[in-house]
Amino acid sequence: MKASQSVIDIWKRFDDFPMETLTKAWYSQIASVNKQRTVDLMKLHREEYGTSGNCFDLAIWLINEFRENKLQAYAVFTPHFHVAVVVIDDEGYKYLCDLGDQWVQPILIDREHEEYTEEFVEGFFPGAQIKLTTQLENLIVTYRRPSGKESNQSFNLTPVSDSELIAAGEKTQRNITSPLVEKRLFMDDQVGHWEFDNYKSFISRNTGREIEDQLSGIEEWANRISRVSGINEAVVLRALEVYSR
């Protein structure tokens, strides 16, 4: 179920990228017209401030990297306005790549491949086993946590055009409701998942979830988020200020 090396090589360029909705709040105070950033601007912001972006930013950037390396790639949507990427490797097989949900690695979605399975597998999503189910043009992903709790997510595998992707990105960049940061933690024996959501933070591991100490004030949260995510603390603080209005 693992991707071919040509896909993995591109994917691993994003190992240290968090998924975060802080940049769009910060950038909303700068951009006067277009809120969806170009890849060149995203690269500049990452170099200067350590930012990455939300699922649309990451999908647009990842597609660009695949295409620059001669691999066909396109976006796919969920019914809940989440976006991931499908890439086709040198042998013509398709893989789902979801940086927005901080997957550990891409996963094979081609039923014709001899390695394809719809059993639960490990090593693709931090702190959970996953199982795929294909139904016509829909892909259903089932997540099973260490507690045994299961949840599902559905992807429509119909390719999204570049223009549709940018338009949807523009829409979501203008939706500033609550701050969220997710970051993969590469440990010796596993990949964990750190999350900041609604002024709570926790780490998910193969053994379960660990709740971190509660903080008081956005200054303290900005410091913690910056230390884990690598995003400039002043940018984090400015974003939290925008969300707190």
Side-chain angles (χ1 to χ4, degrees):
M1 297 289 279
K2 293 182 179 180
S4 55
Q5 197 61 46
S6 60
V7 171
I8 289 292
D9 287 344
I10 305 303
W11 171 268
K12 289 191 71 63
R13 297 177 184 179
F14 295 84
D15 273 357
D16 198 42
F17 283 49
M19 188 295 300
E20 43 88 5
T21 65
L22 301 177
T23 299
K24 69 176 179 179
W26 166 75
Y27 189 60
S28 71
Q29 306 302 294
I30 302 172
S32 57
V33 183
N34 295 326
K35 305 297 184 180
Q36 178 58 61
R37 297 172 297 156
T38 64
V39 173
D40 285 342
L41 187 55
M42 284 189 268
K43 289 180 177 180
L44 179 62
H45 287 163
R46 178 149 187 87
E47 183 177 338
E48 292 186 352
Y49 307 110
T51 57
S52 52
N54 67 0
C55 63
F56 281 87
D57 293 316
L58 294 172
I60 291 167
W61 196 339
L62 181 60
I63 288 170
N64 183 77
E65 292 294 311
F66 280 138
R67 290 177 179 174
E68 284 191 347
N69 286 271
K70 313 304 180 186
L71 293 175
Q72 183 180 348
Y74 53 86
V76 292
F77 286 165
T78 73
H80 303 292
F81 218 51
H82 176 67
V83 61
V85 173
V86 170
V87 62
I88 303 175
D89 72 3
D90 302 320
E91 298 182 4
Y93 293 114
K94 296 178 181 178
Y95 298 86
L96 180 74
C97 308
D98 194 346
L99 284 172
D101 274 345
Q102 292 285 280
W103 281 55
V104 176
Q105 59 182 313
I107 191 167
L108 177 72
I109 60 172
D110 234 311
R111 294 176 63 93
E112 291 73 24
H113 196 291
E114 62 181 6
E115 297 295 332
Y116 179 84
T117 180
E118 294 196 348
E119 300 296 323
F120 275 103
V121 292
E122 297 180 340
F124 291 91
F125 192 85
Q129 297 177 318
I130 64 99
K131 180 172 76 72
L132 304 182
T133 307
T134 54
Q135 298 177 348
L136 297 176
E137 288 302 308
N138 285 325
L139 174 72
I140 299 173
V141 181
T142 301
Y143 305 84
R144 186 163 67 189
R145 308 289 176 175
S147 64
K149 180 181 178 181
E150 294 186 4
S151 59
N152 298 293
Q153 187 172 42
S154 175
F155 291 91
N156 184 329
L157 295 179
T158 303
V160 174
S161 70
D162 291 354
S163 59
E164 288 177 300
L165 176 60
I166 297 300
E170 183 69 28
K171 183 177 180 179
T172 194
Q173 302 298 355
R174 296 174 181 274
N175 182 23
I176 300 175
T177 55
S178 59
L180 177 66
V181 183
E182 300 180 29
K183 179 72 161 58
R184 290 166 293 180
L185 305 176
F186 290 85
M187 308 170 185
D188 291 337
D189 60 338
Q190 64 180 289
V191 179
H193 181 267
W194 182 85
E195 183 169 338
F196 162 80
D197 184 15
N198 195 26
Y199 293 93
K200 296 180 181 178
S201 62
F202 53 88
I203 301 173
S204 297
R205 297 185 175 89
N206 294 341
T207 52
R209 178 180 291 187
E210 173 191 333
I211 307 296
E212 294 189 313
D213 293 339
Q214 190 66 19
L215 300 177
S216 60
I218 61 175
E219 291 82 7
E220 290 187 7
W221 280 111
N223 180 264
R224 177 179 288 178
I225 293 168
S226 177
R227 284 189 289 106
V228 177
S229 69
I231 303 172
N232 179 281
E233 189 171 341
V235 171
V236 176
L237 182 58
R238 179 57 174 154
L240 294 181
E241 289 172 345
V242 172
Y243 276 112
S244 66
R245 292 175 182 172

